[in-house]
Every structure is written in C-alpha cells, then in structure tokens.
Amino acid sequence: MKIEEVIKATVPMSLPKKIILNIMYTQNVIGENFNEIVKAHDLSPEQYNVLRILRGQKGKPANMCVIQERMIAKTSNTTRLVDKLLLKELVTREVCPDNRRKMEVAITQKGLDLLKELDPVIDSHEEKFTKNLTVEEQETLNTLLEKYRNA
C-alpha cells in the first residue's frame, strides 16, 4: 500500500516528504511488532539492545560509555536501563579495578539464556519484514538506507 493511502493524504506530497513518511511509518510498524516480542519477556527494546551489546562482548564487561555509544537509540538513559536489568538479574555491575570512577557491566547466564530463547523469535521477526524482497533487493535497500542516513 502506498504511503499516501496509508495516511489518507488529500494533497500531493513531494518525493522527499514521501520518503521521510515512508521511513517513519515503516519504523513504527517494525517497532510495534518488535515491542510485542520483547514485552512478552518483560523487556523494553532498549533493555534488549543492552543485552545484545553485552553478549557481543564475549564474556568481557563493558563500561557505560561503550554501551551508550553502541546503542541504537542514543537518547536512552543507560544507567537506568542497566539498573532495571540488574533488578532482573540479567546483568552484573562492578567498579572497574583500573579506574574506580568507571562501572563495568557484564551479562549474566540468565541474560544469555533469555537472549538464546529470544534469538529464533527475533530472527523470525526480521524474516517477516524481508520475505517480500530478494537478497539483491535487501542489499540495495540496506545500501540506500545507509546512503540516505549519511547525507
């Protein structure tokens, strides 16, 4: 369905406006679907993102700056997210031995187990939104989005 039909536009729109609206609308559709998945596991998308970042550390802890710079949503309050994950026993937090002003965060086995449980569900979510595209179209879309974002 065209974006004009989705939003029931009554006046013509410029191509740049259609692009922006399409990207924003698509992000909302994908985000709502993703939110349902993680909410069923008592996580927010941002908490899930922190867990994925920590799993990517392969057993090494990460300080708050590393987590923040790798976050998809840069406006997230990383300290608050980590506090909530601590309460759920999905991460640990300790003072850095080399710099007592830094906190190091690591994923727990419980956190790893939760991600392992979520992996196939998230994979299915990602497949759902790419199934109508060929591999070549997916590569082109990815290239175009990166080009668009880096303007």
Side-chain angles (χ1 to χ4, degrees):
M1 183 181 293
K2 292 187 175 199
I3 192 66
E4 297 93 337
E5 296 167 8
V6 171
I7 65 170
K8 297 175 180 25
T10 57
V11 295
M13 288 185 278
S14 67
L15 191 53
K17 186 176 292 301
K18 285 183 194 180
I19 291 168
I20 291 286
L21 290 174
N22 250 314
I23 290 170
M24 291 170 64
Y25 183 78
T26 302
Q27 188 278 328
N28 282 332
V29 170
I30 293 168
E32 286 172 7
N33 192 276
F34 185 77
N35 287 344
E36 288 178 28
I37 293 168
V38 295
K39 187 177 181 182
H41 295 271
D42 194 31
L43 288 176
S44 69
E46 295 81 9
Q47 290 170 353
Y48 175 78
N49 191 202
V50 170
L51 291 176
R52 295 251 332 237
I53 291 165
L54 293 173
R55 177 172 63 180
Q57 291 290 110
K58 303 198 184 317
K60 294 185 216 166
N63 65 47
M64 300 299 253
C65 291
V66 168
I67 295 170
Q68 180 66 41
E69 71 186 18
R70 294 183 184 172
M71 292 289 292
I72 291 173
K74 302 291 184 196
T75 58
S76 297
N77 182 335
T78 310
T79 302
R80 182 180 49 81
L81 292 172
V82 169
D83 287 345
K84 289 184 177 185
L85 292 170
L86 271 167
L87 291 173
K88 297 174 188 180
E89 300 177 345
L90 300 173
V91 301
T92 60
R93 180 174 58 195
E94 296 178 11
V95 175
C96 175
D98 299 331
N99 182 346
R100 296 187 53 76
R101 291 177 292 169
K102 283 187 177 179
M103 297 300 289
E104 291 186 331
V105 182
I107 192 167
T108 63
Q109 187 59 51
K110 183 176 177 181
L112 289 169
D113 292 345
L114 178 58
L115 287 180
K116 189 174 183 179
E117 182 182 337
L118 277 166
D119 283 343
V121 182
I122 299 297
D123 289 347
S124 176
H125 163 77
E126 292 165 353
E127 295 285 328
K128 173 183 175 181
F129 288 100
T130 57
K131 69 181 180 192
N132 293 332
L133 302 174
T134 66
V135 171
E136 184 179 309
E137 288 170 330
Q138 291 175 45
E139 289 171 353
T140 300
L141 177 59
N142 196 53
T143 300
L144 290 173
L145 287 169
E146 288 170 350
K147 186 175 182 178
Y148 189 82
R149 184 177 62 247
N150 294 318

